[in-house]
Amino acid sequence: MPFVTTLNDAPPAPARAARLLGLYLLLIIIAAIEAFDGLAHLPTLFGDMSEIPGPGVGGAIIKAHIASHPLLALAALGFATVGRLRYAIMALGVLVLLTWLNFMPSVVRHGLDFRGVSAFETPVRINAFPLMGACAIALAARGQRLGLATLLVSIPTLYSVCAVIAFGIGIMIYGF
């Protein structure tokens, strides 16, 4: 009987290994960017606490995000480095959800802003990114479609990087 392949067959081992290597590298890059961002904001906890808006639940959420951001990013970096793809995806997914939670005190205090660039940015950061993070966590927990899960946790970071680059280009063109 001749060898027959179906669409459900797994790709050959070298192709699968190369694809997984690409996912590991992407997760390492994303986790490194997030770790740098989290470590850059960490001194806020040791400075003037009046910079963090408001006492109560809102201030506690923001402080918890600042404290946990570098820990989750470094955990994701460590997991991706040692080859634990699913755990790296889950750590970055939790980071995406905590970043969304970090925006909630501002949304409660000031409402949703839909003027100018915020007309695009607000729905993406408030609606799309948390859904992406939750879906990535669910996919990684089940061990299914890890490429899609990696893409879902990478998009919020890549979006932020592109926003910073666009801001820098705007400053170079128009001045400050």
Side-chain angles (χ1 to χ4, degrees):
M1 181 166 193
F3 182 71
V4 178
T5 60
T6 63
L7 294 176
N8 294 330
D9 286 345
R16 188 170 193 276
R19 184 178 63 116
L20 286 177
L21 180 63
L23 295 179
Y24 289 127
L25 290 175
L26 179 60
L27 283 174
I28 288 170
I29 291 168
I30 295 300
I33 291 169
E34 287 292 343
F36 177 76
D37 184 43
L39 290 172
H41 290 103
L42 197 59
T44 306
L45 291 177
F46 304 109
D48 184 16
M49 294 307 271
S50 66
E51 294 176 8
I52 297 176
V57 176
I61 289 172
I62 293 170
K63 290 173 191 172
H65 176 261
I66 292 170
S68 64
H69 190 180
L71 297 175
L72 285 168
L74 290 172
L77 183 61
F79 285 136
T81 303
V82 298
R84 306 297 255 170
L85 187 66
R86 293 173 54 194
Y87 297 119
I89 293 169
M90 286 190 258
L92 287 173
V94 170
L95 185 58
V96 169
L97 293 175
L98 285 178
T99 301
W100 166 77
L101 191 61
N102 184 46
F103 287 127
M104 289 301 105
S106 178
V107 169
V108 169
R109 180 176 268 182
H110 304 292
L112 295 172
D113 183 20
F114 292 110
R115 294 173 300 203
V117 175
S118 295
F120 176 72
E121 187 174 1
T122 300
V124 170
R125 289 198 185 270
I126 302 300
N127 297 329
F129 288 170
L131 291 174
M132 288 177 177
C135 288
I137 291 170
L139 288 171
R142 296 178 72 185
Q144 297 176 340
R145 304 195 64 175
L146 296 178
L148 176 61
T150 300
L151 181 67
L152 288 174
V153 295
S154 299
I155 288 174
T157 303
L158 295 174
Y159 178 86
S160 297
V161 168
C162 289
V164 169
I165 291 170
F167 178 75
I169 290 171
I171 294 297
M172 287 187 338
I173 292 173
Y174 300 109
F176 197 53

